[in-house]
Amino acid sequence: MTDEKPITLSEIVPVVEAHSSDYHMDGDTISFTNEPIGIVEINAPGDGVFEDDIALLKEFAEQKQSKDMLLTELQRAKSMLTIQVVFMLEHDAIFEALDPLLDWLLANRAGLLVDEGGYFQNASGDLE
């Protein structure tokens, strides 16, 4: 996220739970139909994780047509919300289950969404 406004777990709990009674968030764990599907972690510069993750994302960005814009956005990042998938639904089902949170992030925070494989998206759509 390039947004100056920090994000907290307590802020995303109502977002996750408001979408459907199938969703629940306990601490940092998102559940869908009573199955844990992801663990949420929020990182910031200097925490020992942020810089390594940004470096990896920059490697992915180097392969994209939009690399200059992506590298600029990654350089401007102030924080990172990561969701570690812990229950393997089908690939599309994972994103469908996480869509309410991802849509909220795109609508309420500046920055990028990035799939671990290097798929980038911002509020305007997919970035190649």
Side-chain angles (χ1 to χ4, degrees):
M1 286 174 254
T2 57
D3 214 294
E4 293 291 334
K5 183 179 178 183
I7 193 161
T8 64
L9 288 175
S10 62
E11 184 176 17
I12 66 171
V13 169
V15 173
V16 171
E17 294 183 347
H19 180 68
S20 160
S21 61
D22 288 335
Y23 292 90
H24 178 68
M25 194 155 173
D26 184 18
D28 61 356
T29 303
I30 299 172
S31 296
F32 178 70
T33 62
N34 296 319
E35 291 290 340
I37 59 170
I39 298 173
V40 177
E41 183 176 336
I42 298 171
N43 298 103
D47 69 6
V49 174
F50 182 85
E51 287 79 6
D52 288 342
D53 285 355
I54 291 292
L56 176 62
L57 296 178
K58 286 180 179 179
E59 288 179 28
F60 291 138
E62 286 286 344
Q63 310 303 313
K64 302 293 183 179
Q65 292 175 1
S66 305
K67 75 176 184 179
D68 292 339
M69 186 276 293
L70 293 171
L71 292 171
T72 298
E73 286 295 289
L74 292 168
Q75 189 66 35
R76 293 178 53 229
K78 306 275 190 266
S79 63
M80 181 182 308
L81 184 143
T82 307
I83 303 170
Q84 178 187 2
V85 175
V86 295
F87 179 73
M88 290 307 294
L89 302 169
E90 291 180 27
H91 187 268
D92 289 342
I94 291 168
F95 285 99
E96 186 176 319
L98 294 173
D99 268 349
L101 175 56
L102 301 179
D103 290 346
W104 182 88
L105 286 168
L106 284 172
N108 291 280
R109 291 295 190 277
L112 301 168
L113 290 180
V114 186
D115 180 294
E116 184 176 355
Y119 163 82
F120 290 87
Q121 181 182 359
N122 66 12
S124 298
D126 298 344
L127 302 166
E128 294 295 322

